Every structure is written in structure tokens, then in C-alpha cells.
Amino acid sequence: MRNIIGKYLDSIDVLKLEDRILTHNTLILGEQGAGKTNLACKIRNFVIDSNVATLYLDFADSREDEIELRYKDEHFNYIRFSDSKEFDEEFAELIAQKKHIYMAVNPEYFSTKRDVKSKLSKTLSAQALLDNYYYFFHDIENLNGFYTQFEDFLLYMLSFANLQKYGFTFLAQPHSTFENPHLKLLFSFLYLGKCSNANYYNTAILKTLKKNKFYYQYRTDYPTLLFNEIKSSMVLIDEYTLEV
């Protein structure tokens, strides 16, 4: 199993993914080039090796030829979301076979009204997905545009996390939204890469980080009187290359 993904920079230990990451949520933040996609690939490989199906949502609406080669392994099944019968049939077939899915999505398919549930929202909330799939949400670069288009994003994520069997990983560039204390409680594992604004998570060290270096925070797995203790370390994620 590909569970060793890097090393700690403040100890001699290697960084391993554990089974509980399958049911807990992970947030990966960093500027372009910080290594978010590389880390997401590491987590995806671990989930695949754990025999859990994956749904990777690419909100940049990428064409198949625009997607990085590291995703194009034997588990790569590309589909582009559309409000059509053809999409419904192809997507249903992939789910029925529990195939790993890479889905390109234009965020304009989300509703801009809080009281309207879009076709995309309904699709992502299908019970077969909630019961069998680990989700990856790869956010677009224009965060302000994304959240303007999908105004009730936080409420959606909060409710979504309570419905599914497995966890999810969310990748994004830094945004003040992620300082929201309610949103922070969604995530047990946080990987914070290079951020030009030192206010994000109140640590100036994020400005100086190089590619694949992350300020790693995780909520411990033992109960306390209040919230579980949060541990922090600097880590270096191994570079992933597709094995051919």
C-alpha cells in the first residue's frame, strides 16, 4: 500500500497515511505551484489501495487533454458534467461498476439561489455516491467567483459531510473563507502550503515554504473533554510520478 507519502522535517519519522483518513476530511491549501495536486494524488492512491472508490471533481472544467498525466493511470475514467440524458446514463454506469471517476465540472451548474437545489448538487448527493465513494473537490483559481456563484457553499459542505460514509479532500488556493471557525471544524487533517498572505492560519512561515512543503496540522484520534488536541509539524511530501 502506498501509505508513506513523505517525511517530517522536525523529526526522523516518515509521514504515513492512516485508515482514519478514509472517514475524516482533509483540507489542502496553498498558492499555485505549492504542491496541492501532488499531495492529492498521494491521498487518492491510498484511497484506491484501500479498495474505496474515488470521485475527483475538477471545478476548472478541464478537458481530458488538459489533465495532468499523474492522474491518467489505470483507474482514470474521465467524464464531463452536463445536464443531459447521455451524461446521466454514462455516469450511472460508472457508479454501478464502482469505477474511479474524474469529473470535470463547470461551477455555473450550481444554483445561485439558496432555496434551489441544482442538478449538480442532486448528482453529487446521489445515495450510491454517498455510500461508496471518497470525494475530492479541486477548487478553481478564481475563488471569489466560485463562492459568488455558489453562495451557500459552506452550508452545503457542512450538510454534505454528515451524509456520506467516507470523507473528502478539498484543494484550494488560500481564501479568507477558510478562516471560518465552523468550516475549520470540518477538517481533521490540514496541509497548508505557501500562502502569500500571512494572515491565513496566522503563521508567517507559510510565505517562505517551497514546493511540496506543508505546515501539517491534524486532530488527534483520542477523546478529550473538549475538542481533540491539534498537533502541528512541518512536512515534505514526496513527488509523485506516474508508474508506467
Side-chain angles (χ1 to χ4, degrees):
M1 180 177 286
R2 295 168 286 186
N3 63 329
I4 297 177
I5 66 168
K7 61 183 179 181
Y8 290 91
L9 296 180
D10 49 9
S11 76
I12 62 173
D13 294 333
V14 295
L15 177 61
K16 294 183 179 180
L17 296 178
E18 301 177 351
D19 286 343
R20 74 186 185 108
I21 200 172
L22 298 173
T23 54
H24 291 62
N25 302 325
T26 300
L27 176 64
I28 304 173
L29 282 185
E31 307 283 1
Q32 185 175 6
K36 300 187 299 296
T37 300
N38 180 61
L39 176 54
C41 283
K42 294 283 187 180
I43 297 174
R44 174 179 175 267
N45 290 341
F46 178 78
V47 176
I48 289 173
D49 291 348
S50 301
N51 296 315
V52 177
T54 61
L55 172 62
Y56 200 102
L57 299 158
D58 175 0
F59 288 110
D61 198 20
S62 304
R63 298 191 308 269
E64 187 169 0
D65 61 353
E66 296 174 326
I67 297 167
E68 294 191 39
L69 287 176
R70 68 182 92 195
Y71 284 114
K72 295 180 178 179
D73 54 16
E74 69 272 24
H75 307 293
F76 180 73
N77 296 281
Y78 174 85
I79 190 171
R80 197 172 195 174
F81 181 84
S82 67
D83 192 354
S84 67
K85 181 180 178 181
E86 291 76 18
F87 168 83
D88 291 343
E89 292 175 349
E90 183 180 357
F91 194 55
E93 182 63 24
L94 289 171
I95 295 172
Q97 299 181 34
K98 293 186 180 178
K99 294 286 189 180
H100 300 282
I101 303 169
Y102 189 106
M103 187 165 82
V105 185
N106 189 326
E108 290 183 358
Y109 279 108
F110 282 125
S111 173
T112 57
K113 299 179 180 178
R114 291 179 181 271
D115 58 345
V116 175
K117 194 169 185 180
S118 68
K119 169 69 180 298
L120 177 55
S121 295
K122 293 176 182 177
T123 298
L124 298 183
S125 301
Q127 199 61 50
L129 288 174
L130 296 173
D131 289 343
N132 298 299
Y133 278 76
Y134 183 101
Y135 291 61
F136 290 85
F137 295 90
H138 200 148
D139 208 345
I140 60 175
E141 295 181 10
N142 183 6
L143 285 169
N144 287 319
F146 182 79
Y147 296 131
T148 300
Q149 181 68 29
F150 192 17
E151 294 178 355
D152 57 344
F153 174 78
L154 289 181
L155 294 176
Y156 175 78
M157 294 296 282
L158 287 167
S159 62
F160 186 83
N162 294 324
L163 295 174
Q164 62 184 140
K165 176 180 178 181
Y166 297 105
F168 63 83
T169 290
F170 194 93
L171 299 79
Q173 293 193 19
H175 191 274
S176 57
T177 295
F178 297 109
E179 291 290 346
N180 183 303
H182 298 295
L183 184 63
K184 283 184 179 182
L185 291 176
L186 267 178
F187 299 100
S188 293
F189 305 99
L190 295 88
Y191 292 86
L192 309 174
K194 184 176 181 180
C195 300
S196 59
N197 188 329
N199 292 328
Y200 295 115
Y201 288 85
N202 302 312
T203 172
I205 196 171
L206 298 180
K207 280 188 171 183
T208 61
L209 292 180
K210 302 299 183 183
K211 181 181 179 182
N212 291 334
K213 285 188 178 181
F214 287 86
Y215 183 67
Y216 173 47
Q217 296 182 313
Y218 64 94
R219 205 167 284 126
T220 55
D221 198 24
Y222 49 83
T224 64
L225 292 176
L226 296 173
F227 295 109
N228 291 13
E229 182 183 4
I230 294 177
K231 301 264 188 166
S232 301
S233 295
M234 293 298 303
V235 297
L236 176 64
I237 307 300
D238 297 333
E239 184 69 27
Y240 173 69
T241 55
L242 177 62
E243 297 177 3
V244 294

